[in-house]
Amino acid sequence: MFGFVKLLLKYRLAFILIIIAVLVRLYQKDVVQLLQIAAARYLNIAANKQTDSVSVRFTDTRGNLFTPEQLATYNGENGAAIYLSLLGAVYDVSRGLKHYGPGCSYNYFVGRDASVSFVSGEFEHYDPKTADDVLSLKANDLIELAKWQQFYEKEYIYKGKLIGRFYDEEGKSTVYHQKYLALLDQAQIAKAQVDELRNRYPGCNIEWSEAKGTRVWCTTTSGDGKKRDWPGYPRKLYDRDNKNFHCACVPEAELNDPMFKSYENCASRSEECFYRV
C-alpha cells in the first residue's frame, strides 16, 4: 500500500495533467462557453467605465487606396506630407524633403504617377494620359523601373495603391498591370541570358582614333580583366533585338556559331579588327 502511495506522489504532476486533459476533453464545449462569457463580461465592464476604453483596430497598411485627386494633395505644400506613385504603388517620401520638396529637383514626381519619367528623363511636361504608360518602354527600361521600385520599397514608406492604370477601385491588379509584370519577366529572362553570354564570351578591348576609327582586339585579360588561357577573336554579338551588338572575344572552337558575326574587312583569325560607324 505504501509503495503505491509513494509511486503516486512521485508521479503526481503527470497524473494531475492527465486528469485535467480528460476533463477538458469531456467538457470542451462548457469550457469554451465559460471563456466566452468571461470575455464578454470584461468587455462590457470596460465599455461602461468612463475613464477606460478598449480600442481594437485591424488595419492593412498595404491596402490603402488613393484616387489621383487625393494623391495630388500630398504635395508638401503648407506642411502636407509628400507622396509619389511608381507603377501604381504610393510611397511617402517626406523625409526626402530636400529632393522632393517644392522647387526641388524631383518635385516633378510628387503627387502623381510619372513612372515613364524615371527612365525617360522628361521632367518638364506632364501628360496624365501617358505619364504612367510603361508598356511601350524597352525591356531594359522595364528592368530599370523595377530597380527604382525596389529602391522606394527599401528607402521610403509604402502607403498604398493608386486607383488607375495598375489597380482598380478595389485595389486589385488590373489587366494592364499583369501585362507589365509579364513583360518584366520576359525582360529579366532575356537579360539573364545576355549576362550569361557576356560571362562566357568576354568583351573586347576598344579604342578609337581619328586616323583608323574604332579598333577592337582580344587578349587573355580583355573583358573582365580576369586571366584566361585563350585570347579569342573579335566578333559581333547582337542583342536579342538584333539591332545593337557588342564586341565579344570568341574561342576558336566556337567561331562557326551563327550567333556571332564577323567584322567587315577583317581576317577570320585576326585578333584585332577596325571599323567605322
Side-chain angles (χ1 to χ4, degrees), residues 204 218 230-235 248-252 255 268-271:
C204 307
C218 295
W230 49 275
Y233 301 93
R235 290 293 187 272
C249 293
V250 182
E252 185 172 8
L255 289 177
S268 177
R269 296 300 189 270
S270 175
E271 292 183 359

Side-chain angles (χ1 to χ4, degrees), residues 97-162:
L97 179 63
K98 64 180 181 180
H99 302 297
Y100 300 97
C104 297
S105 54
Y106 292 131
N107 182 255
Y108 173 85
F109 295 102
V110 170
R112 58 177 58 150
D113 191 320
S115 295
V116 174
S117 292
F118 278 92
V119 294
S120 71
E122 170 57 59
F123 295 164
E124 296 295 331
H125 306 290
Y126 174 74
D127 183 354
K129 295 181 179 179
T130 60
D132 60 349
D133 188 1
V134 301
L135 293 189
S136 60
L137 295 176
K138 297 179 180 178
N140 288 339
D141 291 336
L142 296 179
I143 293 174
E144 191 64 25
L145 275 180
K147 291 180 180 179
W148 273 110
Q149 190 162 39
Q150 291 173 357
F151 167 78
Y152 282 102
E153 286 284 342
K154 179 181 178 181
E155 299 295 333
Y156 293 101
I157 303 172
Y158 175 89
K159 302 301 292 186
K161 302 169 183 176
L162 176 64

Side-chain angles (χ1 to χ4, degrees), residues 224-235:
D224 56 11
K226 297 179 181 178
K227 184 76 173 179
R228 58 182 184 274
D229 296 332
W230 49 275
Y233 301 93
R235 290 293 187 272

Side-chain angles (χ1 to χ4, degrees), residues 10-41:
K10 183 177 180 180
Y11 296 101
R12 62 184 181 276
L13 179 58
F15 180 74
I16 292 172
L17 292 174
I18 292 173
I19 294 298
I20 292 174
V22 171
L23 291 174
V24 170
R25 181 69 177 177
L26 291 175
Y27 300 101
Q28 181 178 1
K29 293 183 178 179
D30 295 331
V31 171
V32 172
Q33 289 177 352
L34 287 173
L35 291 175
Q36 290 176 338
I37 292 172
R41 288 178 177 176

Side-chain angles (χ1 to χ4, degrees), residues 201-214:
Y201 305 105
C204 307
N205 296 311
I206 301 177
E207 68 177 10
W208 180 88
S209 69
E210 186 175 355
K212 294 184 177 181
T214 301

Side-chain angles (χ1 to χ4, degrees), residues 82-103:
I82 306 175
Y83 290 6
L84 63 76
S85 177
L86 174 61
L87 300 171
V90 178
Y91 300 95
D92 184 343
V93 296
S94 299
R95 68 184 186 85
L97 179 63
K98 64 180 181 180
H99 302 297
Y100 300 97

